[in-house]
Amino acid sequence: MTGTTPTLLFDLFGVIARHQSAEGRDRLARTADVDAPAFWEAYWALRPPYDRGEVTGPGYWQRLADALDTRFDSRRITDLIEADIASWNAVDDAMVAFVEELAASGRRIALLSNIPEELAAHYETHHPWLRHFPVRAFSCRIGHAKPEPDAYRWCLNALHEEPDRILFVDDRQENIQAAEATGIHGHLFTTAARLREALAWWDARPSAGC
């Protein structure tokens, strides 16, 4: 990276937004009314096509019911979609403030998230800070999910940026490694304070490559 501050490409969940809450997980399992370990095994095993937009919310929950050898009627599916959205809705206020600070400073920022359409639409409606991200690489809309290489390539094309001018911030090591395999720099997120320190270090570097 030479002579410029990096474009920041943010993950959403585990960085700006919280992972599923314990209350949200309990509500989901209660709404499904099936064996909890089997429910969560199917929930995650069937999630990638939903994240990539290959199946709708009702289709995802119908597949999950089939995998569990049960049946969800349309009302149950509606309740499950609502409970799923609610379980992912909490955000890290410190990180939201940091995003707004970066945007106000003129920093170029973008978003790359594994997220299904119903949840993406909810965030766009209820979280106005998303407007600070002119590029939102939602997996359900780009057809690729991390850590697939094409998810990062899509971002490079959308940003019209060289990979060594992008710093990707994610809380999962496998996603960082996949980004670095495409030439993008990575920061494994732990706290907002450590991200600030890391960004100050990147910005203070001389024009030699980073």
Side-chain angles (χ1 to χ4, degrees), residues 31-94:
T31 303
D33 194 24
V34 296
D35 177 70
F39 172 80
W40 289 111
E41 182 179 357
Y43 179 95
W44 290 113
L46 298 171
R47 200 75 175 184
Y50 187 27
D51 281 343
R52 287 195 295 267
E54 297 169 4
V55 62
T56 63
Y60 166 72
W61 288 106
Q62 187 57 60
R63 288 184 180 187
L64 194 145
D66 292 344
L68 296 173
D69 195 25
T70 189
R71 180 179 178 274
F72 296 147
D73 61 21
S74 59
R75 181 63 221 173
R76 180 75 63 90
I77 288 175
T78 297
D79 290 344
L80 284 164
I81 291 172
E82 290 176 356
D84 195 33
I85 289 171
S87 73
W88 292 101
N89 188 52
V91 300
D92 182 337
D93 291 335

Side-chain angles (χ1 to χ4, degrees), residues 82-191:
E82 290 176 356
D84 195 33
I85 289 171
S87 73
W88 292 101
N89 188 52
V91 300
D92 182 337
D93 291 335
M95 281 301 299
V96 170
F98 186 36
V99 164
E100 293 179 333
E101 178 185 325
L102 290 169
S105 73
R107 168 82 65 169
R108 194 178 190 204
I109 58 177
L111 199 63
L112 171 59
S113 177
N114 289 357
I115 186 171
E117 178 58 38
E118 286 83 356
L119 187 53
H122 173 85
Y123 262 79
E124 289 176 327
T125 300
H126 296 281
H127 294 278
W129 48 267
L130 275 180
R131 72 184 186 277
H132 296 307
F133 295 95
V135 172
R136 298 174 211 158
F138 290 154
S139 60
C140 60
R141 298 176 185 171
I142 69 174
H144 308 290
K146 298 172 296 178
E148 297 164 6
D150 282 343
Y152 306 97
R153 294 186 186 117
W154 190 96
C155 292
L156 291 173
N157 290 333
L159 290 166
H160 303 290
E161 195 72 273
E162 293 299 318
D164 70 346
R165 293 181 181 271
I166 298 174
L167 181 62
F168 176 56
V169 181
D170 195 288
D171 67 320
R172 297 186 183 275
Q173 186 63 47
E174 63 268 28
N175 293 337
I176 293 293
Q177 291 174 339
E180 290 174 341
T182 69
I184 293 171
H185 297 280
H187 172 81
L188 184 64
F189 180 82
T190 53
T191 66

